[in-house]
Amino acid sequence: MACKRIPLAHGRLHSLRRLRASVVFVRTVAVLAVSLQAAGAFAELPEPTDLVDQQHCMFCHTSDAPFLAPSFHQIAEHYRDTPNASTMLEDKLRHGGKAHWGDMAMPLPEDRGGPLSAGDARTLVRWVLSQ
């Protein structure tokens, strides 16, 4: 009788090991998928050089250190978890706005290089927030 129980116990043990391995595999895949999605969400986009030059962004901002205005990295960090930050920043780029980072307000588009389309504002904001 003892011999007959061993294959049954071995079969259950094998099934439990397979189930545990499956659970570990599914968890690993889920963690990897979330990690890749998060990395993609904050992956730095290439600089839209023509727009940055046209709008004279570098007159006041730098990539990583405050100058006359906050750095792009500071802006990205500040607004990373703010709902609707993109919309608010796009509007500020297109119409200027009051100072949020000291005494200097965002200049009007006419003072920066001309009007900015909604698409161009979206491109600049996405780039800044990817820093």
Side-chain angles (χ1 to χ4, degrees):
M1 258 186 178
C3 291
K4 289 185 180 181
R5 287 184 151 184
I6 291 174
L8 182 59
H10 177 68
R12 285 184 184 160
L13 183 59
H14 182 68
S15 294
L16 288 174
R17 284 183 182 158
R18 285 181 51 197
L19 178 62
R20 185 174 181 183
S22 296
V23 169
V24 169
F25 177 75
V26 168
R27 285 183 181 167
T28 302
V29 169
V31 168
L32 182 60
V34 169
S35 298
L36 289 174
Q37 183 179 11
F42 296 112
E44 190 171 329
L45 300 173
E47 180 180 323
T49 308
D50 291 341
L51 284 173
V52 170
D53 290 346
Q54 173 199 351
Q55 291 295 306
H56 306 295
C57 300
M58 298 299 189
F59 281 19
C60 300
H61 300 276
T62 67
S63 179
D64 56 1
F67 181 52
L68 296 175
S71 73
F72 297 131
H73 289 274
Q74 286 177 305
I75 295 168
E77 185 63 31
H78 181 78
Y79 289 107
R80 183 153 289 135
D81 297 323
T82 303
N84 301 318
S86 293
T87 304
M88 185 272 301
L89 292 171
E90 289 169 23
D91 187 60
K92 188 172 227 180
L93 276 176
R94 294 190 69 211
H95 306 291
K98 63 181 184 175
H100 290 283
W101 295 81
D103 298 332
M104 188 170 190
M106 180 68 151
L108 297 172
E110 297 79 32
D111 298 331
R112 289 193 325 258
L116 191 63
S117 72
D120 287 347
R122 187 171 303 112
T123 298
L124 283 169
V125 168
R126 284 183 182 167
W127 171 68
V128 169
L129 293 179
S130 77
Q131 303 295 303

